[in-house]
Amino acid sequence: MKLHIQPEPEPDTRPIQIRVSGRYLLPGGIEHVCETRSLSLSTIEVLAPESGLLGDPVTLYLDDVGPVAGAIHTISPDGFTLAVEVGPERRARFAARLDWLASQVSGRTDQRSDPRIVPTQRTVEVRCADGRVLPGTIIDLSMTGAAIAAPDRPAVGEAVTVGKRRATVVRQLESGFAVLFKLPFRPETFGRHVVL
């Protein structure tokens, strides 16, 4: 008698069941809002109002992940599945983001789990969605976010630009606020010399 054992999925293809908001661009420049149902390095299930056609190229812009390109692999009544097409460098960054998202889902870590540093250049400008520009001072910094002292505090959930990095406000602090970067720093570019 032979036993048939299902092989474990490869780590990079195992999907994370998580809702991530974003938007997507169909051929012809039509943009829609969307939300993911699951993500992996090879496929992303997208809940979307319009799906396009099988094989259509699509670019997803996902909060906390960034842009992901691919083609429509399957169509469902409430969206589509994207076959991810990324180059080696982008794939490594995408894998790092998926690992971070998986750790958030499993509760392995919190938003302050990354090692934090105080950069040499601490002065930074924060641009708010309504056009305000706030002078700020970096309290500390990690590869995924920063704590910023500022005279005014944007609302939690507000999209801001810290220096040149896009981010989302995730916490209010007594003397300022904390942000999560849309794209984390790569380990090889992160250090006290970083300028936001």
Side-chain angles (χ1 to χ4, degrees), residues 42-78:
S42 55
T43 59
I44 300 175
E45 276 188 84
V46 183
L47 297 168
E50 194 173 317
S51 72
L53 304 170
L54 283 176
D56 273 356
V58 174
T59 302
L60 287 175
Y61 300 91
L62 298 175
D63 296 347
D64 302 329
V65 176
V68 183
I72 295 176
H73 177 62
T74 56
I75 295 173
S76 62
D78 58 356

Side-chain angles (χ1 to χ4, degrees), residues 132-178:
R132 287 177 301 150
V133 178
L134 308 176
T137 303
I138 298 167
I139 299 167
D140 59 27
L141 178 68
S142 76
M143 286 193 286
T144 56
I148 298 163
D152 194 7
R153 295 180 295 183
V156 171
E158 185 174 337
V160 294
T161 303
V162 180
K164 294 180 181 175
R165 295 189 81 83
R166 292 175 58 222
T168 303
V169 177
V170 291
R171 273 193 315 281
Q172 298 279 325
L173 307 173
E174 192 175 326
S175 59
F177 54 96

Side-chain angles (χ1 to χ4, degrees), residues 14-37:
R14 188 179 294 122
I16 305 164
Q17 307 300 317
I18 187 170
R19 298 290 178 104
V20 178
S21 300
R23 58 194 201 284
Y24 64 101
L25 194 62
L26 289 172
I30 303 163
E31 192 173 271
H32 298 281
V33 295
C34 66
E35 191 176 59
T36 65
R37 179 181 283 142

